[in-house]
Amino acid sequence: MSPTWSTAHLGVLVPGDAPIHLHYFDNSPSTPSAPYTTVILVHGNGFNSHIWVPSLPHLPPNTRVLAFNRRGYTGSSPPHASTQQLPGNVEAFGRYVVDLLGFLKYAVEVLGVHPAPSEGQGKKGGIVLVGWSKGCASVISLLSHLPPSPVLSPHPLPRPAPLDSYLPLLHSHLRATIFFEPPQMIFGLPGPAEYPQLAGVPPERLPQAFGEVLLETIPEDKRQAVLAAEDAGGAADIVTWNGATSDERRDVCERAFPSNLVRVGTLYCEGTTLAPVVNGVKWINNRYAALGVGVSAEFVKGMVEGGNHFVMATDPDSFGTALGEVLVQLGVE
């Protein structure tokens, strides 16, 4: 069954900004009567939410799946026009974080997704956020802003809007976050222009060139499933980051992990050959290990057999199996 596409009208999320709308799909537009868990998928750079569609039949049963096109991508509001073009365009990046909160609120208040189960009421219910590639940056930055935090120094990313009104919703509904192959630049490691395959590429060609490098890792007979989700929104997306410097990006990630609010899972493909999109998972895994947090219900490490960075489209059965295993280990059904 194909998902139903709609538009979420979120209104004004940041005072002074225009109202925001996001194009999204829902695989269960008629709210299920039985208890269910909602999985919200956050796509990466250069490819919109169509990338997830092949995987829908293979995702765990009894889950409601939502995915939205981030701003600048097909059907959604245009990219934010920053008042100051600072390195990393953190002002525009902050809008992705607020959009994510706005969509979570829409899912709860308009779409009626179920809250997390209370103690002893089973494992179904609530929301699991699954970020892929650069889409992980918004989820990580959201975690970095949430209290309580042991870090008392000023946050490197200013909040474009107060988060207080969203906190009750996050506490009642958000159960876990899963990070699938976030690129290493999110964590303050070398960025796209510093990848050996992209050395010397002009900034305006980076989105296209990076996509070409990634596509070369996919067997030709499977590329069409990926190209169907290609989106020009990546041109504005790739120049916005979760910090103006590598130190700021690392600071944001250190605030996010370990999370004080939700359980965390990581996921990558054993067949991914491009190290920069695997090193992000390794950073998170090493962070937990260094802090003495072993694999448990609070933190789970997962792997997709074979596959590649676009496995949800090229080998959706493998992706669905691996994601389901991580969910079970996180205590979610």
Side-chain angles (χ1 to χ4, degrees), residues 22-315:
L22 300 175
H23 195 49
Y24 75 96
F25 74 66
D26 184 350
N27 76 333
S28 300
S30 297
T31 305
S33 57
Y36 66 91
T37 297
T38 301
V39 175
I40 296 181
L41 305 167
V42 186
H43 69 81
N45 182 80
F47 299 87
N48 61 40
S49 289
H50 281 274
I51 198 73
W52 304 106
V53 173
S55 68
L56 294 181
H58 305 278
L59 297 184
N62 301 318
T63 56
R64 184 179 188 179
V65 183
L66 305 172
F68 63 92
N69 288 354
R70 296 191 288 119
R71 89 165 64 190
Y73 289 82
T74 300
S76 294
S77 290
H80 175 71
S82 298
T83 55
Q84 293 182 300
Q85 287 295 328
L86 300 174
N89 200 356
V90 294
E91 180 183 329
F93 176 82
R95 296 310 196 273
Y96 291 122
V97 182
V98 176
D99 293 350
L100 176 58
L101 284 166
F103 188 78
L104 287 170
K105 185 176 181 180
Y106 177 88
V108 172
E109 297 183 353
V110 178
L111 301 182
V113 304
H114 285 191
S118 301
E119 188 70 29
Q121 291 188 346
K123 298 180 180 180
K124 295 182 177 67
I127 294 172
V128 177
L129 280 177
V130 179
W132 166 58
S133 198
K134 198 195 168 191
C136 293
S138 301
V139 185
I140 290 171
S141 295
L142 171 59
L143 294 184
S144 77
H145 277 297
L146 298 179
S149 173
V151 184
L152 300 179
S153 58
H155 198 292
L157 291 180
R159 297 181 182 183
L163 303 186
D164 293 349
S165 63
Y166 298 100
L167 291 179
L169 175 154
L170 294 172
H171 283 288
S172 63
H173 284 73
L174 186 58
R175 296 186 64 189
T177 54
I178 298 175
F179 300 95
F180 174 48
E181 296 199 350
Q184 64 186 38
M185 188 180 180
I186 295 172
F187 304 89
L189 300 172
E194 298 164 276
Y195 297 170
Q197 298 95 323
L198 299 175
V201 175
E204 64 272 13
R205 279 207 70 248
L206 271 178
Q208 179 183 351
F210 188 43
E212 291 169 355
V213 169
L214 286 171
L215 287 172
E216 289 173 0
T217 67
I218 304 172
E220 286 191 28
D221 62 332
K222 295 183 176 183
R223 290 183 186 177
Q224 190 52 47
V226 175
L227 292 173
E230 197 170 25
D231 197 304
D237 186 9
I238 202 170
V239 295
T240 67
W241 291 95
N242 54 313
T245 65
S246 59
D247 287 343
E248 286 189 358
R249 293 190 293 274
R250 184 167 53 253
D251 184 358
V252 169
C253 293
E254 288 175 348
R255 291 168 184 267
F257 303 111
S259 172
N260 292 307
L261 178 67
V262 297
R263 298 178 177 187
V264 169
T266 60
L267 191 61
Y268 74 98
C269 295
E270 65 177 357
T272 298
T273 57
L274 192 62
V277 295
V278 175
N279 288 341
V281 163
K282 293 181 177 178
W283 188 99
I284 298 174
N285 293 349
N286 292 337
R287 170 76 171 171
Y288 275 89
L291 294 173
V293 181
V295 174
S296 64
E298 302 301 319
F299 171 64
V300 172
K301 298 187 292 185
M303 180 183 290
V304 183
E305 291 187 6
N308 58 79
H309 194 58
F310 301 94
V311 69
M312 70 286 281
T314 63
D315 301 274

